[in-house]
Amino acid sequence: MAELRALVAVKRVIDFAVKIRVKPDRTGVVTDGVKHSMNPFCEIAVEEAVRLKEKKLVKEIIAVSCGPAQCQETIRTALAMGADRGIHVEVPAAEADRLGPLQVARVLAKLAEKEKVDLVLLGKQAIDDDCNQTGQMTAGFLDWPQGTFASQVTLEGDKVKVEREIDGGLETLRLKLPAVVTADLRLNEPRYATLPNIMGAGPKASASGNGSADVAPMEAGCRRLGQGQPCEPWPPVCRKPRRRRLR
Amino acid sequence: MLLPLAKLSCPAYQCFHALKIKKDYLPLCATRWSSTSVVPRITTHYTVCPRDKDKRWEGVNMERFAEEADVVIVGAGPAGLSAAIRLKQLATKQEKDIRVCLVEKAAQIGAHTLSGACLDPRGFEELFPDWKEKGAPLNTPVTEDRFGILTEKYRIPVPILPGLPMNNHGNYIVRLGHLVSWMGEQAESLGVEVYPGYAAAEVLFHEDGSVKGVATNDVGIQKDGAPKTTFERGLELHAKVTIFAEGCHGHLAKQLYKKFDLRANCEPQTYGIGLKEVGLDYQNPYLSPFREFQRWKHHPSIQPTLEGGKRIAYGARALNEGGLQSIPKLTFPGGLLIGCSPGFMNVPKIKGTHTAMKSGILAAESIFNQLTSENLQSKTTGLHVTEYEDNLKKSWVWKELYTVRNIRPSCHGILGVYGGMIYTGIFYWIFRGMEPWTLKHKGSDSDQLKPAKDCTPIEYPKPDGQISFDLLSSVALSGTNHEHDQPAHLTLKDDSIPVNRNLSIYDGPEQRFCPAGVYEFVPLEQGDGFRLQINAQNCVHCKTCDIKDPSQNINWVVPEGGGGPAYNGM
């Protein structure tokens, strides 16, 4: 029916139940070996994309994550929830600390143009930095309309109706596609990434990516725009499951 | 007895009659509740309240998919990972292809691993002779050993002579969680399919009674037992052989002991809780292992080492102390048990990791031989790998456990630990454990508690916040969490027993022995009396409650995968 394509950005963050410890040299928090998982708001964004696909309003969902090799786990979870393809923008672990909303927004904007998507979905903010900026900056770079803090998303032809949660209550906007939407808590309840789907999401790709996004330190500003090179897309979900239905 | 007619039409009798009819249509767990209506309903898990009789589950699709593998391993601890790695090493060497799947309830490998740990590298070196080049995290060799007996204020040093089990020469201090994580990476690079975050919840059987495999847990069930919109069934994993490596007191192993009567010829297992270490065969129901541990830290010989330090982590786990006498039958049609699940810990040495790894290696070798043998004939669809138990009995694991088998039981005598030390000195150090007799244990840990009226309550000092701490802040450090809207995984066979028996006779020992504060007796909202409140989200999966409950009413089952503690290198 529709030919819409969606890009969903997911972030790998420290699990919300873990107690954070500051590093002894005070340069950040301890992340080695600490339990990480997908940002809860990103899960909600992926779930929304999958629901739109189930309603046959979206044809293809691409999950993207920027960061070190372990981000592949997060992309795998997104694939298991229902995304079709995954893109991992590999950033070496040493530089990953300097990766902020500005850099990620730049990467997402480039990818959205390259993949010719109609809808970019993100979580409203990440639970580690609580920046609440990436979605908005992405829309700014692309010069697309944005519907943030979405608690309801309805696709209507070439427009998307977004009900937003704002300070005074609820606000409804109608945006012309292509657009950027960020998910708030009450948008939906994400499904579980069950084992059959994780198995179908393919084996873990090796840690070596085919390129890396150029991460500019905050000070370099916008001059580095255009040098980001995402690596090859994830192997598509094509492994035929060797399973039988029972009962 | 003749009833006057008037009685039959009285409202009370009519009401009672109506209730009797209604009982047939109520779901099973509600029936239990209404029959003893003063007991608030606690257990809603589907293992206790079956779903096929529950109206809320009508029309829900209960179909399950299945995947076929050659070997399925439950549990990615040292034993499970050793077995997986050895299977793949053999397969690569002999150019055969076998599919090995490993499921683990923790969200990442190593997150539920807790140990001292002072590793005897013997088992590990058999798996990875080149571990140094590969960069395994064994970084701290032991340089010095000290052993002492603590009295209330003083410490009596005890010499460790070479040859005693406590001698640690050649061993390494490791963070077992990190070592297990490293082994997980090695397993994946060898081609093992590792699935953390998925718990094996059910054992599956063929028609001939042999083990067919396991099924992972269902997800998306509400706290009261009703299905959510996100409900999905688990996946069935079928295998020719299933290896159960769940660690100490595994819940699937518990079912297997019953089904195949594996404990017919061995003693009940006895346990300790690693906090470290408080034996679980204590008798005073007022004892709290957690608070004993806090008190221990204040001992004059321990406190100086800890002063100025910062508490960064906390965890707890039961461990087996039964030794050779408590090892059950290890194999059954379709599967076998390895690691701390049957329990190969060398108690006086306080080490079980090396024997667990060796048991995994032996299991893998025995299974591989059977799987690749050309004239394989099996009476049952699931393979019965009896060679594993025979090989284990011929290996150094058995020899080691045999020589130390009497040390722990010798501490049960009148002289207590001193008697044990004298016994060790004579029969182990001099005679190398060759004495012809085997001492028995006292019985299972749950039977050891004396009624509360025969014991005195223990006054524990308040935690000072520098060296000793309160329970809840410690639990927060374990990083434990579970999806809150799921049935409590600490199930009770009978909801009325905690108050009627445990509280009234033993003053509710579960509120003391749980190292995570899961069990609380809170006053009823109306009227006098108490009810048991289960804070399942705090659980750190230590299994102490399943072991020590004097009524053996608590049955620990696995919660939704991914939940539980988030240990980092513990």
Side-chain angles (χ1 to χ4, degrees):
Chain A
M1 196 174 116
E3 297 295 305
L4 295 180
R5 296 170 58 179
L7 183 77
V8 185
V10 295
K11 186 177 182 187
R12 178 177 177 262
V13 297
I14 296 181
D15 188 83
F16 73 91
V18 169
K19 223 165 164 101
I20 314 278
R21 254 197 315 135
V22 177
K23 278 198 253 192
D25 59 6
R26 300 248 185 258
T27 54
V29 298
V30 176
T31 50
D32 265 340
V34 172
K35 179 178 173 189
H36 284 69
S37 46
M38 192 193 287
N39 182 35
F41 295 109
C42 298
E43 279 179 3
I44 296 175
V46 173
E47 173 64 21
E48 194 58 26
V50 175
R51 286 190 190 190
L52 290 174
K53 185 167 155 212
E54 284 171 349
K55 288 189 204 143
K56 305 230 192 314
L57 298 167
V58 161
K59 194 182 73 165
E60 191 188 10
I61 304 172
I62 306 165
V64 63
S65 190
C66 303
Q70 298 98 317
C71 287
Q72 294 173 5
E73 277 298 323
T74 319
I75 299 179
R76 251 180 122 200
T77 311
L79 290 173
M81 285 172 74
D84 298 295
R85 275 200 301 141
I87 298 181
H88 173 210
V89 180
E90 181 144 16
V91 175
E95 294 182 43
D97 290 337
R98 293 184 293 155
L99 194 61
L102 187 64
Q103 290 77 19
V104 174
R106 224 181 268 145
V107 170
L108 292 179
K110 231 58 210 88
L111 274 173
E113 280 169 347
K114 185 165 176 252
E115 296 286 336
K116 298 191 187 38
V117 296
D118 306 287
L119 187 62
V120 177
L121 282 160
L122 306 91
K124 71 170 178 181
Q125 65 198 56
I127 58 169
D128 51 3
D129 54 21
D130 282 321
C131 280
N132 198 330
Q133 296 165 13
T134 312
Q136 292 86 333
M137 286 182 175
T138 311
F141 281 126
L142 289 165
D143 201 21
W144 287 2
Q146 54 180 277
T148 51
F149 310 102
S151 64
Q152 210 168 7
V153 171
T154 326
L155 279 175
E156 297 168 344
D158 65 340
K159 297 201 173 54
V160 56
K161 188 169 92 171
V162 176
E163 194 179 80
R164 307 176 59 218
E165 295 198 6
I166 58 172
D167 292 337
L170 295 170
E171 181 188 52
T172 312
L173 300 176
R174 194 175 274 114
L175 316 169
K176 250 207 282 206
L177 290 173
V180 173
V181 174
T182 68
D184 203 329
L185 190 64
R186 277 160 281 274
L187 181 56
N188 58 49
E189 194 187 332
R191 66 194 59 193
Y192 292 85
T194 51
L195 189 54
N197 297 323
I198 281 273
M199 283 181 167
K204 274 192 175 162
S206 62
S208 55
N210 295 6
S212 57
D214 216 353
V215 180
M218 297 280 208
E219 309 82 60
C222 300
R223 252 167 287 137
R224 295 289 206 79
L225 183 72
Q227 286 181 14
Q229 284 295 318
C231 67
E232 288 304 315
W234 200 268
V237 178
C238 61
R239 194 183 115 180
K240 197 159 191 284
R242 281 185 270 163
R243 61 181 88 111
R244 332 170 249 116
R245 269 178 200 271
L246 302 172
R247 286 210 299 119
Chain B
M1 191 172 89
L2 288 170
L3 280 171
L5 216 62
K7 257 215 159 83
L8 289 174
S9 59
C10 90
Y13 185 87
Q14 283 170 346
C15 171
F16 180 69
H17 188 59
L19 192 66
K20 267 172 84 172
I21 299 173
K22 231 185 141 87
K23 238 180 161 180
D24 296 331
Y25 296 102
L26 286 171
L28 194 65
C29 39
T31 314
R32 278 175 40 206
W33 174 71
S34 64
S35 60
T36 49
S37 55
V38 288
V39 177
R41 185 151 128 233
I42 302 173
T43 304
T44 54
H45 200 271
Y46 59 83
T47 48
V48 179
C49 305
R51 291 175 289 194
D52 46 0
K53 296 200 185 67
D54 192 334
K55 270 218 165 102
R56 301 169 297 183
W57 286 88
E58 258 171 54
V60 176
N61 185 4
M62 299 298 267
E63 237 181 329
R64 270 200 294 221
F65 287 108
E67 282 276 336
E68 305 283 339
D70 293 298
V71 182
V72 164
I73 305 178
V74 177
L81 284 168
S82 298
I85 290 170
R86 178 53 111 217
L87 275 168
K88 277 296 192 180
Q89 283 176 340
L90 289 168
T92 318
K93 206 160 87 174
Q94 301 190 20
E95 282 167 10
K96 296 242 159 61
D97 189 27
I98 46 170
R99 186 178 181 200
V100 180
C101 286
L102 181 55
V103 285
E104 162 61 43
K105 62 175 164 52
Q108 53 191 48
I109 307 288
H112 286 187
T113 303
L114 179 74
S115 180
C118 193
L119 180 73
D120 181 339
R122 201 170 174 186
F124 189 62
E125 268 166 5
E126 287 190 23
L127 204 56
F128 293 111
D130 54 346
W131 60 263
K132 260 209 180 98
E133 287 85 41
K134 285 207 155 101
L138 271 72
N139 300 321
T140 318
V142 170
T143 50
E144 205 192 322
D145 248 323
R146 279 205 261 157
F147 192 72
I149 303 179
L150 299 180
T151 61
E152 199 181 325
K153 288 206 181 60
Y154 300 103
R155 181 176 170 273
I156 308 170
V158 175
I160 302 190
L161 308 159
L164 274 179
M166 298 81 178
N167 189 334
N168 273 310
H169 183 73
N171 297 341
Y172 290 84
I173 311 250
V174 294
R175 295 179 72 171
L176 197 60
H178 285 170
L179 184 64
V180 166
S181 234
W182 181 88
M183 285 173 77
E185 287 165 18
Q186 300 303 309
E188 275 172 345
S189 64
L190 283 166
V192 177
E193 290 177 49
V194 181
Y195 297 111
Y198 295 98
E202 198 186 322
V203 186
L204 306 166
F205 296 96
H206 288 290
E207 261 121 36
D208 59 12
S210 60
V211 169
K212 187 158 92 168
V214 289
T216 57
N217 57 286
D218 296 344
V219 291
I221 306 179
Q222 286 179 37
K223 206 163 170 59
D224 63 3
K228 290 195 232 184
T229 46
T230 46
F231 171 72
E232 272 192 64
R233 284 284 265 168
L235 177 71
E236 295 196 3
L237 289 163
H238 297 171
K240 302 194 180 96
V241 186
T242 310
I243 303 181
F244 292 88
E246 295 171 288
C248 178
H249 207 81
H251 80 112
L252 292 181
K254 210 171 144 184
Q255 295 174 24
L256 292 165
Y257 292 150
K258 265 209 213 112
K259 165 111 184 157
F260 293 107
D261 200 20
L262 301 171
R263 299 204 81 101
N265 297 322
C266 69
E267 293 202 38
Q269 185 65 267
T270 60
Y271 299 89
I273 178 172
L275 270 176
K276 272 153 177 316
E277 326 261 7
V278 179
L280 279 182
D281 57 346
Y282 61 83
Q283 296 174 320
N284 186 342
Y286 291 107
L287 194 142
S288 157
F290 176 81
R291 302 192 82 171
E292 289 293 333
F293 181 57
Q294 306 307 315
R295 199 157 64 158
W296 174 79
K297 287 191 277 183
H298 277 292
H299 192 275
S301 68
I302 310 282
Q303 187 159 327
T305 315
L306 299 173
E307 229 140 49
K310 188 166 166 250
R311 174 190 57 158
I312 58 172
Y314 169 78
R317 184 74 171 92
L319 11 76
N320 10 65
E321 297 191 340
L324 199 78
Q325 294 92 318
S326 303
I327 297 179
K329 188 157 173 299
L330 297 167
T331 64
F332 42 87
L336 42 86
L337 302 164
I338 61 174
C340 276
S341 184
F344 300 117
M345 188 168 108
N346 181 333
V347 183
K349 205 163 153 175
I350 321 181
K351 290 181 183 46
T353 315
H354 62 311
T355 46
M357 289 184 180
K358 179 66 175 173
S359 69
I361 295 171
L362 288 169
E365 286 166 356
S366 317
I367 293 174
F368 189 78
N369 286 341
Q370 271 220 358
L371 282 179
T372 52
S373 100
E374 258 121 41
N375 0 322
L376 179 63
Q377 279 164 0
S378 177
K379 281 190 244 169
T380 51
T381 326
L383 297 179
H384 194 168
V385 189
T386 44
E387 292 78 27
Y388 160 60
E389 191 156 357
D390 301 331
N391 291 342
L392 193 70
K393 292 200 167 132
K394 293 189 212 136
S395 71
W396 54 259
V397 171
W398 210 261
K399 270 201 215 53
E400 191 177 314
L401 291 176
Y402 185 79
T403 53
V404 300
R405 72 197 182 289
N406 285 327
I407 296 184
R408 178 127 195 302
S410 67
C411 302
H412 296 323
I414 313 171
L415 294 172
V417 175
Y418 297 102
M421 292 178 62
I422 299 171
Y423 187 96
T424 310
I426 302 172
F427 289 102
Y428 181 80
W429 196 55
I430 301 177
F431 291 118
R432 293 308 182 184
M434 289 293 142
E435 67 269 28
W437 58 83
T438 301
L439 299 174
K440 284 193 178 344
H441 293 301
K442 284 190 289 188
S444 77
D445 287 333
S446 54
D447 293 331
Q448 300 304 314
L449 278 183
K450 292 199 201 135
K453 59 177 170 49
D454 298 335
C455 305
T456 43
I458 305 176
E459 277 297 318
Y460 288 105
K462 263 177 85 83
D464 71 348
Q466 306 285 330
I467 297 191
S468 55
F469 304 92
D470 65 301
L471 184 68
L472 291 177
S473 65
S474 302
V475 173
L477 277 177
S478 69
T480 191
N481 193 39
H482 297 83
E483 158 67 38
H484 83 281
D485 195 12
Q486 62 171 308
H489 62 281
L490 301 134
T491 63
L492 304 170
K493 292 182 209 152
D494 183 338
D495 280 350
S496 62
I497 285 188
V499 172
N500 293 352
R501 190 160 185 269
N502 287 10
L503 187 62
S504 57
I505 303 179
Y506 302 98
D507 196 44
E510 52 264 61
Q511 58 188 326
R512 292 187 194 89
F513 60 53
C514 176
V518 168
Y519 300 97
E520 272 184 287
F521 283 97
V522 295
L524 285 169
E525 278 90 24
Q526 280 151 343
D528 284 327
F530 291 87
R531 64 176 179 87
L532 180 67
Q533 179 169 283
I534 299 183
N535 307 314
Q537 272 186 284
N538 286 11
C539 181
V540 291
H541 297 204
C542 74
K543 317 291 174 59
T544 302
C545 54
D546 198 317
I547 295 166
K548 194 61 179 170
D549 179 12
S551 318
Q552 286 292 281
N553 187 36
I554 300 175
N555 192 29
W556 190 98
V557 299
V558 76
E560 276 179 17
Y567 299 140
N568 179 7
M570 297 273 269

